[in-house]
Coordinates of all heavy atoms in Angstrom, one line a residue:
K116 N 0.8 -1.2 0.0 CA 0.0 0.0 0.0 C 0.9 1.2 0.0 O 2.0 1.2 0.5 CB -0.9 0.0 1.2 CG -1.9 -1.1 1.2 CD -2.8 -1.0 2.5 CE -3.8 -2.1 2.5 NZ -4.7 -2.0 3.6
N117 N 0.3 2.3 -0.5 CA 1.0 3.6 -0.5 C 0.7 4.5 0.7 O 0.4 5.6 0.6 CB 0.7 4.4 -1.8 CG 1.2 3.7 -3.0 OD1 2.3 3.0 -2.9 ND2 0.6 3.8 -4.1
L118 N 0.8 3.9 1.9 CA 0.6 4.6 3.1 C 1.8 5.4 3.5 O 2.9 4.9 3.2 CB 0.2 3.7 4.3 CG -1.2 3.0 4.1 CD1 -1.3 1.9 5.2 CD2 -2.3 3.9 4.1
P119 N 1.7 6.5 4.2 CA 2.9 7.2 4.7 C 3.6 6.3 5.6 O 3.0 5.4 6.3 CB 2.3 8.4 5.5 CG 0.9 8.6 5.0 CD 0.4 7.3 4.5
K120 N 4.9 6.5 5.8 CA 5.7 5.6 6.6 C 5.2 5.4 8.0 O 5.2 4.3 8.5 CB 7.2 6.1 6.6 CG 8.2 5.1 7.0 CD 9.6 5.6 6.7 CE 10.5 4.4 6.7 NZ 11.8 4.7 6.3
N121 N 4.7 6.5 8.6 CA 4.2 6.4 10.0 C 2.9 5.7 10.1 O 2.5 5.4 11.2 CB 4.2 7.8 10.7 CG 3.3 8.7 10.0 OD1 2.8 8.5 8.9 ND2 3.0 9.8 10.6
K122 N 2.2 5.5 9.0 CA 0.9 4.8 9.0 C 1.0 3.3 8.6 O 0.1 2.6 8.7 CB -0.1 5.5 8.0 CG -0.4 6.9 8.3 CD -1.2 7.0 9.6 CE -1.6 8.5 9.8 NZ -2.2 8.7 11.1
Q123 N 2.2 2.9 8.2 CA 2.4 1.5 7.8 C 2.3 0.6 9.0 O 2.7 1.0 10.1 CB 3.7 1.3 7.1 CG 3.7 2.0 5.7 CD 5.1 1.9 5.1 OE1 6.0 1.3 5.6 NE2 5.2 2.5 3.9
K124 N 1.9 -0.6 8.8 CA 1.8 -1.6 9.9 C 3.2 -1.7 10.6 O 4.2 -1.9 9.9 CB 1.3 -2.9 9.4 CG 1.0 -3.9 10.5 CD 0.4 -5.2 9.9 CE 0.1 -6.1 11.0 NZ -0.5 -7.3 10.5
G125 N 3.2 -1.6 11.9 CA 4.5 -1.7 12.6 C 5.2 -0.4 12.8 O 6.0 -0.2 13.7
G126 N 4.9 0.6 12.0 CA 5.5 1.9 12.2 C 7.0 1.9 11.9 O 7.5 0.9 11.5
D127 N 7.6 3.0 12.1 CA 9.1 3.1 11.9 C 9.8 2.7 13.2 O 9.5 3.3 14.2 CB 9.4 4.5 11.5 CG 10.8 4.7 11.1 OD1 11.6 4.9 12.0 OD2 11.1 4.7 9.9
V128 N 10.7 1.8 13.2 CA 11.4 1.3 14.4 C 12.2 2.4 15.0 O 12.1 2.6 16.2 CB 12.3 0.1 14.0 CG1 13.1 -0.3 15.2 CG2 11.5 -1.1 13.5
M129 N 12.9 3.2 14.2 CA 13.7 4.3 14.8 C 12.8 5.3 15.5 O 13.1 5.9 16.5 CB 14.5 5.0 13.7 CG 15.6 4.2 13.2 SD 16.8 3.6 14.5 CE 17.5 5.2 15.0
E130 N 11.6 5.6 15.0 CA 10.7 6.5 15.6 C 10.3 6.0 17.0 O 10.2 6.8 17.9 CB 9.4 6.6 14.7 CG 8.6 7.8 15.0 CD 7.5 8.0 13.9 OE1 7.8 8.5 12.8 OE2 6.4 7.6 14.2
K131 N 10.0 4.7 17.1 CA 9.6 4.1 18.4 C 10.8 4.2 19.4 O 10.6 4.5 20.5 CB 9.3 2.6 18.2 CG 7.9 2.4 17.5 CD 7.6 1.0 17.4 CE 6.3 0.8 16.6 NZ 6.0 -0.6 16.4
I132 N 12.0 4.0 18.9 CA 13.2 4.1 19.8 C 13.4 5.5 20.3 O 13.6 5.8 21.4 CB 14.5 3.6 19.1 CG1 14.3 2.1 18.9 CG2 15.7 3.9 19.9 CD1 15.4 1.5 18.0
D133 N 13.2 6.5 19.4 CA 13.4 7.9 19.7 C 12.4 8.3 20.8 O 12.7 9.0 21.8 CB 13.2 8.8 18.5 CG 14.5 8.7 17.6 OD1 15.5 8.2 18.0 OD2 14.3 9.1 16.4
I134 N 11.1 7.9 20.6 CA 10.1 8.2 21.6 C 10.4 7.6 23.0 O 10.4 8.2 24.0 CB 8.7 7.8 21.1 CG1 8.3 8.7 20.0 CG2 7.7 7.9 22.3 CD1 7.0 8.3 19.3
K135 N 10.8 6.3 23.0 CA 11.2 5.7 24.2 C 12.3 6.4 24.9 O 12.3 6.5 26.1 CB 11.5 4.2 24.0 CG 11.7 3.4 25.2 CD 11.9 1.9 24.9 CE 12.0 1.2 26.2 NZ 12.2 -0.3 26.0
N136 N 13.3 6.7 24.2 CA 14.5 7.4 24.8 C 14.2 8.8 25.2 O 14.9 9.4 25.9 CB 15.7 7.4 23.9 CG 16.3 6.0 23.7 OD1 16.2 5.2 24.6 ND2 16.8 5.7 22.6
N137 N 13.1 9.4 24.6 CA 12.7 10.8 24.8 C 11.7 10.9 26.0 O 11.5 12.0 26.4 CB 12.1 11.3 23.5 CG 12.1 12.8 23.5 OD1 12.8 13.5 24.2 ND2 11.2 13.3 22.6
L138 N 11.2 9.8 26.5 CA 10.2 9.9 27.6 C 10.8 10.2 28.9 O 11.9 9.7 29.3 CB 9.5 8.6 27.7 CG 8.3 8.3 26.8 CD1 7.7 7.0 27.0 CD2 7.3 9.4 26.8
M139 N 10.2 11.1 29.7 CA 10.6 11.4 31.0 C 9.4 11.1 32.0 O 8.3 11.3 31.6 CB 10.9 12.9 31.2 CG 12.1 13.3 30.3 SD 12.4 15.1 30.5 CE 13.1 15.1 32.2
T140 N 9.8 10.7 33.2 CA 8.8 10.4 34.2 C 8.5 11.7 35.0 O 9.3 12.7 34.9 CB 9.3 9.3 35.2 OG1 10.4 9.8 35.9 CG2 9.5 8.0 34.5
K141 N 7.5 11.6 35.8 CA 7.2 12.8 36.7 C 8.4 13.1 37.6 O 8.8 14.3 37.7 CB 6.0 12.5 37.6 CG 4.7 12.4 36.9 CD 3.6 12.2 37.9 CE 3.6 10.8 38.5 NZ 2.5 10.5 39.4
K142 N 9.0 12.1 38.1 CA 10.2 12.2 39.0 C 11.3 13.0 38.3 O 11.9 13.9 38.9 CB 10.6 10.9 39.6 CG 11.8 11.0 40.5 CD 12.2 9.6 41.1 CE 13.3 9.8 42.0 NZ 13.8 8.5 42.6
E143 N 11.6 12.6 37.1 CA 12.7 13.2 36.3 C 12.4 14.6 36.0 O 13.3 15.5 36.1 CB 12.9 12.4 35.0 CG 13.5 11.0 35.2 CD 13.5 10.2 33.9 OE1 12.5 10.3 33.1 OE2 14.4 9.4 33.7
V144 N 11.1 15.0 35.7 CA 10.8 16.4 35.4 C 10.9 17.2 36.7 O 11.4 18.3 36.7 CB 9.4 16.5 34.8 CG1 8.9 17.9 34.7 CG2 9.3 15.8 33.5
I145 N 10.4 16.6 37.8 CA 10.5 17.3 39.1 C 12.0 17.6 39.4 O 12.3 18.8 39.9 CB 9.8 16.5 40.2 CG1 8.3 16.5 40.0 CG2 10.2 17.0 41.6 CD1 7.6 15.5 40.8
E146 N 12.8 16.7 39.2 CA 14.3 16.9 39.5 C 14.9 17.9 38.6 O 15.7 18.7 39.0 CB 15.0 15.5 39.4 CG 14.7 14.6 40.6 CD 15.3 13.2 40.5 OE1 16.0 13.0 39.5 OE2 15.0 12.4 41.3
L147 N 14.5 17.8 37.3 CA 15.1 18.7 36.3 C 14.7 20.2 36.6 O 15.5 21.1 36.5 CB 14.6 18.3 34.9 CG 15.0 19.3 33.7 CD1 16.5 19.2 33.5 CD2 14.2 18.9 32.5
L148 N 13.4 20.4 36.9 CA 12.9 21.7 37.1 C 13.0 22.2 38.5 O 12.8 23.4 38.8 CB 11.4 21.8 36.6 CG 11.2 21.4 35.2 CD1 9.7 21.5 34.9 CD2 11.9 22.3 34.2
K149 N 13.4 21.3 39.4 CA 13.5 21.6 40.8 C 12.2 22.2 41.4 O 12.2 23.3 41.9 CB 14.7 22.6 41.1 CG 16.0 21.9 40.7 CD 17.2 22.9 40.9 CE 18.5 22.4 40.6 NZ 18.8 21.4 39.6
I150 N 11.2 21.5 41.2 CA 9.8 21.9 41.6 C 9.3 20.8 42.5 O 9.8 19.6 42.5 CB 8.9 22.2 40.4 CG1 8.7 21.0 39.5 CG2 9.3 23.4 39.7 CD1 7.7 21.1 38.4
S151 N 8.2 21.1 43.2 CA 7.6 20.1 44.0 C 6.6 19.2 43.2 O 6.1 19.6 42.1 CB 6.8 20.7 45.2 OG 5.6 21.4 44.6
P152 N 6.3 18.0 43.7 CA 5.3 17.2 43.0 C 4.0 17.9 42.9 O 3.3 17.8 41.9 CB 5.2 15.9 43.9 CG 6.5 15.9 44.6 CD 6.9 17.3 44.8
Y153 N 3.6 18.7 43.9 CA 2.3 19.4 43.8 C 2.3 20.4 42.7 O 1.3 20.6 42.0 CB 2.1 20.1 45.2 CG 0.8 20.9 45.2 CD1 -0.4 20.2 45.3 CD2 0.8 22.3 45.1 CE1 -1.6 20.9 45.3 CE2 -0.4 23.0 45.1 CZ -1.6 22.3 45.2 OH -2.8 23.0 45.2
T154 N 3.5 21.1 42.5 CA 3.6 22.1 41.4 C 3.4 21.5 40.1 O 2.7 21.9 39.2 CB 4.9 22.9 41.5 OG1 4.9 23.6 42.8 CG2 5.1 23.9 40.4
L155 N 4.1 20.3 39.9 CA 3.9 19.6 38.6 C 2.5 19.2 38.4 O 2.0 19.3 37.3 CB 4.9 18.4 38.6 CG 4.9 17.7 37.3 CD1 5.4 18.6 36.1 CD2 5.8 16.4 37.4
Y156 N 1.9 18.7 39.5 CA 0.5 18.3 39.4 C -0.4 19.4 38.9 O -1.2 19.3 38.0 CB 0.0 17.8 40.8 CG -1.5 17.5 40.9 CD1 -2.1 16.4 40.3 CD2 -2.3 18.5 41.5 CE1 -3.5 16.2 40.3 CE2 -3.7 18.3 41.6 CZ -4.3 17.2 41.0 OH -5.6 17.0 41.0
K157 N -0.3 20.6 39.5 CA -1.1 21.8 39.2 C -0.8 22.2 37.7 O -1.7 22.5 37.0 CB -0.8 23.0 40.1 CG -1.3 22.7 41.5 CD -2.7 22.4 41.5 CE -3.6 23.6 42.0 NZ -5.0 23.3 42.1
W158 N 0.5 22.2 37.3 CA 0.9 22.6 36.0 C 0.2 21.6 34.9 O -0.2 22.1 33.9 CB 2.4 22.6 35.8 CG 3.1 23.8 36.5 CD1 2.5 24.8 37.2 CD2 4.4 24.0 36.5 NE1 3.4 25.7 37.6 CE2 4.6 25.2 37.2 CE3 5.6 23.4 35.9 CZ2 5.9 25.8 37.4 CZ3 6.8 24.0 36.1 CH2 7.0 25.2 36.9
T159 N 0.2 20.3 35.2 CA -0.4 19.4 34.3 C -1.9 19.6 34.3 O -2.6 19.5 33.2 CB 0.0 17.9 34.6 OG1 -0.4 17.6 35.9 CG2 1.5 17.7 34.3
C160 N -2.5 19.8 35.4 CA -4.0 20.0 35.5 C -4.4 21.2 34.6 O -5.5 21.2 34.0 CB -4.4 20.3 36.9 SG -4.5 18.8 37.9
Y161 N -3.6 22.3 34.6 CA -4.0 23.5 33.9 C -3.3 23.5 32.5 O -3.3 24.5 31.8 CB -3.6 24.7 34.7 CG -4.4 24.9 35.9 CD1 -3.9 24.7 37.2 CD2 -5.7 25.3 35.8 CE1 -4.6 24.9 38.3 CE2 -6.5 25.4 36.9 CZ -6.0 25.2 38.2 OH -6.7 25.4 39.3
N162 N -2.7 22.4 32.1 CA -2.0 22.3 30.8 C -1.0 23.3 30.6 O -0.8 23.8 29.5 CB -3.0 22.3 29.6 CG -3.8 21.0 29.6 OD1 -3.2 19.9 29.7 ND2 -5.1 21.1 29.4
Y163 N -0.3 23.7 31.7 CA 0.7 24.7 31.6 C 2.0 24.2 31.1 O 2.8 24.8 30.4 CB 1.0 25.3 33.0 CG 2.0 26.4 33.1 CD1 1.8 27.6 32.6 CD2 3.2 26.1 33.8 CE1 2.8 28.6 32.7 CE2 4.2 27.1 33.9 CZ 4.0 28.3 33.3 OH 4.9 29.3 33.4
I164 N 2.2 22.9 31.3 CA 3.4 22.2 30.9 C 3.0 21.1 29.9 O 2.0 20.4 30.1 CB 4.2 21.6 32.1 CG1 5.6 21.1 31.7 CG2 3.4 20.6 32.8 CD1 6.5 20.8 32.8
P165 N 3.7 20.9 28.8 CA 3.4 19.8 27.9 C 3.6 18.4 28.5 O 4.6 18.2 29.2 CB 4.3 20.0 26.7 CG 5.4 20.9 27.2 CD 4.9 21.6 28.3
H166 N 2.6 17.6 28.3 CA 2.6 16.2 28.9 C 1.7 15.3 28.1 O 0.9 15.7 27.3 CB 2.2 16.3 30.4 CG 0.8 16.7 30.6 ND1 0.4 18.0 30.6 CD2 -0.3 16.0 30.8 CE1 -0.9 18.1 30.8 NE2 -1.4 16.9 30.9
L167 N 1.9 14.0 28.4 CA 1.1 12.9 27.8 C 0.5 12.1 29.0 O 1.2 11.9 30.0 CB 2.0 12.0 27.0 CG 2.9 12.5 25.9 CD1 3.9 11.5 25.4 CD2 2.0 13.0 24.7
K168 N -0.7 11.7 28.8 CA -1.3 10.8 29.7 C -1.6 9.5 29.0 O -2.4 9.4 28.1 CB -2.6 11.4 30.3 CG -3.0 10.8 31.6 CD -4.1 11.6 32.3 CE -4.3 11.1 33.6 NZ -5.3 11.9 34.3
V169 N -0.9 8.4 29.5 CA -1.1 7.1 28.9 C -1.5 6.1 29.9 O -0.7 5.9 30.9 CB 0.2 6.6 28.2 CG1 0.0 5.3 27.5 CG2 0.7 7.7 27.2
G170 N -2.6 5.5 29.8 CA -3.1 4.5 30.8 C -3.2 5.1 32.2 O -2.9 4.4 33.1
G171 N -3.5 6.4 32.3 CA -3.7 7.0 33.6 C -2.3 7.5 34.2 O -2.3 8.0 35.3
K172 N -1.2 7.3 33.5 CA 0.1 7.7 34.0 C 0.6 8.9 33.2 O 0.3 9.0 32.0 CB 1.1 6.6 33.9 CG 0.8 5.4 34.8 CD 1.9 4.4 34.7 CE 1.6 3.2 35.6 NZ 2.6 2.2 35.7
L173 N 1.3 9.8 33.8 CA 1.8 11.0 33.2 C 3.2 10.7 32.6 O 4.1 10.1 33.3 CB 1.9 12.2 34.1 CG 0.6 12.9 34.4 CD1 0.8 13.9 35.5 CD2 0.0 13.5 33.2
F174 N 3.5 11.2 31.4 CA 4.8 11.1 30.9 C 5.1 12.5 30.2 O 4.1 13.2 29.9 CB 4.9 10.0 29.8 CG 4.8 8.6 30.4 CD1 3.6 8.0 30.4 CD2 5.9 8.0 31.0 CE1 3.5 6.7 31.0 CE2 5.8 6.8 31.5 CZ 4.6 6.1 31.5
F175 N 6.3 12.7 30.0 CA 6.8 14.0 29.4 C 7.8 13.7 28.3 O 8.6 12.8 28.5 CB 7.4 14.9 30.4 CG 6.4 15.2 31.6 CD1 6.3 14.3 32.6 CD2 5.6 16.3 31.6 CE1 5.4 14.5 33.7 CE2 4.8 16.5 32.6 CZ 4.7 15.6 33.7
L176 N 7.7 14.4 27.2 CA 8.7 14.2 26.1 C 9.8 15.2 26.4 O 9.6 16.4 26.5 CB 8.1 14.4 24.8 CG 7.1 13.4 24.3 CD1 6.6 13.8 22.9 CD2 7.8 12.0 24.2
K177 N 11.1 14.7 26.6 CA 12.2 15.6 26.9 C 12.3 16.7 25.9 O 12.5 17.9 26.3 CB 13.5 14.8 26.9 CG 14.7 15.5 27.4 CD 15.9 14.7 27.5 CE 17.0 15.4 28.1 NZ 18.2 14.6 28.3
S178 N 12.1 16.4 24.6 CA 12.2 17.5 23.6 C 11.2 18.6 23.8 O 11.5 19.7 23.6 CB 12.1 16.9 22.2 OG 10.9 16.2 22.0
E179 N 10.0 18.2 24.2 CA 8.9 19.2 24.4 C 9.2 20.0 25.7 O 8.9 21.2 25.7 CB 7.6 18.5 24.5 CG 7.0 18.0 23.2 CD 5.6 17.5 23.3 OE1 5.0 17.5 24.4 OE2 5.1 17.0 22.3
I180 N 9.7 19.4 26.7 CA 10.1 20.1 27.9 C 11.2 21.1 27.6 O 11.1 22.3 28.1 CB 10.5 19.1 29.0 CG1 9.3 18.2 29.4 CG2 11.0 19.9 30.3 CD1 8.1 18.9 29.9
E181 N 12.2 20.7 26.9 CA 13.3 21.6 26.5 C 12.8 22.8 25.7 O 13.2 23.9 26.0 CB 14.4 20.8 25.7 CG 15.2 19.9 26.6 CD 16.1 18.9 25.8 OE1 16.0 18.9 24.6 OE2 16.9 18.2 26.5
E182 N 11.9 22.5 24.7 CA 11.4 23.6 23.9 C 10.5 24.5 24.8 O 10.6 25.7 24.6 CB 10.5 23.0 22.8 CG 10.0 24.0 21.8 CD 9.2 23.3 20.7 OE1 9.5 22.2 20.3 OE2 8.1 23.9 20.3
W183 N 9.7 24.0 25.7 CA 8.9 24.7 26.6 C 9.7 25.6 27.4 O 9.4 26.8 27.6 CB 8.0 23.8 27.4 CG 7.2 24.4 28.4 CD1 6.0 25.0 28.3 CD2 7.4 24.4 29.8 NE1 5.5 25.4 29.5 CE2 6.4 25.1 30.5 CE3 8.5 23.9 30.6 CZ2 6.3 25.3 31.8 CZ3 8.4 24.1 32.0 CH2 7.3 24.8 32.6
L184 N 10.8 25.1 28.0 CA 11.7 25.9 28.8 C 12.3 27.1 28.0 O 12.4 28.2 28.5 CB 12.9 25.0 29.4 CG 12.5 24.1 30.5 CD1 13.6 23.2 30.9 CD2 12.2 25.0 31.7
L185 N 12.7 26.8 26.8 CA 13.3 27.9 25.9 C 12.3 29.0 25.7 O 12.6 30.1 25.8 CB 13.8 27.3 24.6 CG 15.1 26.5 24.7 CD1 15.4 25.8 23.3 CD2 16.3 27.4 25.1
K186 N 11.1 28.6 25.4 CA 10.0 29.6 25.2 C 9.8 30.4 26.4 O 9.6 31.6 26.4 CB 8.7 28.9 24.7 CG 8.7 28.4 23.3 CD 7.4 27.8 22.9 CE 7.5 27.2 21.5 NZ 6.2 26.5 21.2
K187 N 9.7 29.7 27.6 CA 9.5 30.4 28.8 C 10.6 31.4 29.2 O 10.4 32.5 29.7 CB 9.3 29.4 30.0 CG 8.0 28.6 29.9 CD 6.8 29.5 30.0 CE 5.5 28.8 29.7 NZ 4.4 29.8 29.6
S188 N 11.8 31.0 28.9 CA 13.0 31.8 29.3 C 13.1 33.0 28.4 O 13.4 34.1 28.8 CB 14.3 31.0 29.2 OG 14.6 30.6 27.9
K189 N 12.6 32.9 27.1 CA 12.6 34.0 26.2 C 11.5 35.0 26.6 O 11.7 36.2 26.4 CB 12.4 33.5 24.7 CG 13.6 32.9 24.2 CD 13.3 32.4 22.8 CE 14.5 31.6 22.2 NZ 14.3 31.0 20.9
K190 N 10.4 34.5 27.1 CA 9.3 35.4 27.5 C 9.6 36.1 28.8 O 9.0 37.1 29.2 CB 8.0 34.7 27.6 CG 7.4 34.2 26.3 CD 6.1 33.5 26.6 CE 5.4 33.1 25.3 NZ 4.2 32.3 25.6
G191 N 10.5 35.5 29.6 CA 10.8 36.1 30.9 C 9.8 35.7 32.0 O 9.6 36.3 33.0
D192 N 9.1 34.5 31.7 CA 8.1 34.1 32.6 C 8.6 33.2 33.8 O 7.9 32.7 34.6 CB 7.1 33.2 31.9 CG 6.2 34.0 30.9 OD1 6.2 35.2 31.0 OD2 5.6 33.4 30.0
G193 N 10.0 33.1 33.9 CA 10.5 32.2 34.9 C 10.2 30.7 34.5 O 10.5 30.4 33.4
K194 N 9.7 29.9 35.4 CA 9.4 28.5 35.1 C 8.1 28.5 34.2 O 7.7 27.8 33.5 CB 9.2 27.7 36.3 CG 10.5 27.5 37.0 CD 10.3 26.7 38.3 CE 11.6 26.7 39.1 NZ 11.4 26.1 40.4

């Protein structure tokens, strides 16, 4: 079939590896940003910080967190 590569059965193996290596847990984000678990909870509730919810668990893409930090630092918003 002429499906885009990401729509083909099985997907792209490198894409799956990149996502797996790019995932961060709540604990890792808390340590990186030096914030409390409560702060992270509030930020995710209000969609202030980019995150994924899979099977009721929160995950963060390192690339999205880095991009988010850059945008916040350019705006002068602090965290």
Side-chain angles (χ1 to χ4, degrees):
K116 293 181 180 179
N117 291 330
L118 294 173
K120 200 169 197 174
N121 62 348
K122 297 290 183 188
Q123 291 176 1
K124 189 174 181 179
D127 186 279
V128 174
M129 288 305 292
E130 196 172 282
K131 289 179 183 177
I132 292 170
D133 288 342
I134 289 174
K135 186 174 181 180
N136 290 332
N137 198 19
L138 278 181
M139 297 179 72
T140 63
K141 291 184 291 187
K142 183 178 179 182
E143 291 171 325
V144 174
I145 288 166
E146 290 173 1
L147 175 70
L148 301 178
K149 297 178 178 35
I150 58 174
S151 72
Y153 180 75
T154 297
L155 185 62
Y156 169 77
K157 292 304 255 182
W158 286 1
T159 56
C160 285
Y161 292 109
N162 289 317
Y163 180 70
I164 188 170
H166 63 280
L167 305 166
K168 197 166 190 179
V169 180
K172 293 183 180 185
L173 282 175
F174 293 97
F175 304 83
L176 293 176
K177 187 175 183 180
S178 57
E179 287 186 0
I180 297 299
E181 290 170 349
E182 185 178 323
W183 176 77
L184 283 170
L185 286 172
K186 286 180 183 177
K187 292 295 173 191
S188 66
K189 287 179 184 176
K190 288 182 181 178
D192 289 346
K194 291 181 185 171

